[in-house]
Amino acid sequence: MDKGVIFCVASGRNYGELKRIFGSFEDKIYFIANDGALIVHKEKTVYVAPIGNAKLKQFDDEKSFVAHGKYISFVKSDEERFIRKIKEQYEGHMVRIESTDEIDEPIYKITLYKKTDKNFDLEKVYYDNSICEYVEEGINKGNAVSELLKILKMNERDLTVIGS
């Protein structure tokens, strides 16, 4: 940092989680959250690629999902054990919903809690035997790094990115 190199954390995690993990450095680093859909620095949002409302509606028929906003995650599920697990994971920064119509802020990523071959009109960025994660089409951490370099009018040798 003393030599003018800017540090950035790039992760699939939401901004609230990253802020809790890296809180002591939050005024010194850039956060690329939600697999590249959100970039934040010093609490200021510098880039967003939210999922459109019509695309969010695709998930209303699903049993359990989490829609990730900047600070709050919106959870749909009838399973109390699942709700408790998500509330613990996000340290209480969650709101229980019945429909995406209840969401009143931008959503950057959806985590569907089941393996599915169903095609949603979004980019699948992660999947395993129990979850699938989606962002707006064309969004990823690499593209977010490129966007950050444009915003900062810098080249890649002046930016150090740590990812997960």
Side-chain angles (χ1 to χ4, degrees), residues 1-85:
M1 287 183 202
D2 294 340
K3 295 182 181 182
V5 175
I6 292 175
F7 287 86
C8 177
V9 173
S11 178
R13 294 175 184 252
N14 69 24
Y15 172 64
E17 283 184 282
L18 293 175
K19 185 176 171 183
R20 286 188 292 278
I21 294 167
F22 296 97
S24 60
F25 299 101
E26 72 179 293
D27 63 331
K28 298 178 177 95
I29 61 177
Y30 283 80
F31 295 97
I32 295 177
N34 296 314
D35 285 297
L38 176 66
I39 302 175
V40 179
H41 180 60
K42 295 182 179 181
E43 291 291 324
K44 181 181 174 193
T45 301
V46 296
Y47 172 81
V48 294
I51 296 172
N53 289 341
K55 293 180 181 182
L56 284 177
K57 294 292 294 169
Q58 299 174 91
F59 293 88
D60 276 342
D61 293 333
E62 299 298 327
K63 184 178 177 182
S64 294
F65 67 83
V66 177
H68 305 277
K70 183 175 180 180
Y71 298 103
I72 301 291
S73 292
F74 298 87
V75 182
K76 178 185 176 187
S77 181
D78 292 334
E79 299 176 31
E80 291 303 319
R81 193 172 93 199
F82 175 77
I83 295 291
R84 283 193 306 274
K85 176 185 171 191

Side-chain angles (χ1 to χ4, degrees):
M1 287 183 202
D2 294 340
K3 295 182 181 182
V5 175
I6 292 175
F7 287 86
C8 177
V9 173
S11 178
R13 294 175 184 252
N14 69 24
Y15 172 64
E17 283 184 282
L18 293 175
K19 185 176 171 183
R20 286 188 292 278
I21 294 167
F22 296 97
S24 60
F25 299 101
E26 72 179 293
D27 63 331
K28 298 178 177 95
I29 61 177
Y30 283 80
F31 295 97
I32 295 177
N34 296 314
D35 285 297
L38 176 66
I39 302 175
V40 179
H41 180 60
K42 295 182 179 181
E43 291 291 324
K44 181 181 174 193
T45 301
V46 296
Y47 172 81
V48 294
I51 296 172
N53 289 341
K55 293 180 181 182
L56 284 177
K57 294 292 294 169
Q58 299 174 91
F59 293 88
D60 276 342
D61 293 333
E62 299 298 327
K63 184 178 177 182
S64 294
F65 67 83
V66 177
H68 305 277
K70 183 175 180 180
Y71 298 103
I72 301 291
S73 292
F74 298 87
V75 182
K76 178 185 176 187
S77 181
D78 292 334
E79 299 176 31
E80 291 303 319
R81 193 172 93 199
F82 175 77
I83 295 291
R84 283 193 306 274
K85 176 185 171 191
I86 297 300
K87 189 172 190 174
E88 182 180 303
Q89 180 178 346
Y90 296 113
E91 297 184 0
H93 297 135
M94 55 143 289
V95 173
R96 192 172 186 172
I97 60 170
E98 297 296 322
S99 163
T100 57
D101 290 333
E102 299 171 55
I103 299 172
D104 60 355
E105 63 182 71
I107 296 300
Y108 303 103
K109 183 173 170 179
I110 296 275
T111 304
L112 180 61
Y113 284 84
K114 71 175 186 178
K115 184 176 181 180
T116 183
D117 293 324
K118 185 175 178 181
N119 288 322
F120 294 97
D121 191 19
L122 293 165
E123 185 97 15
K124 188 186 290 186
V125 292
Y126 178 81
Y127 63 93
D128 65 18
N129 290 329
S130 61
I131 68 171
C132 293
E133 295 184 326
Y134 302 89
V135 295
E136 191 58 71
E137 292 182 82
I139 299 305
N140 61 57
K141 290 177 250 179
N143 287 344
V145 169
S146 295
E147 289 295 327
L148 182 57
L149 288 169
K150 287 180 204 171
I151 291 165
L152 298 174
K153 297 179 174 73
M154 299 175 72
N155 62 53
E156 57 194 35
R157 71 177 178 267
D158 296 321
L159 178 69
T160 297
V161 180
I162 301 167
S164 65

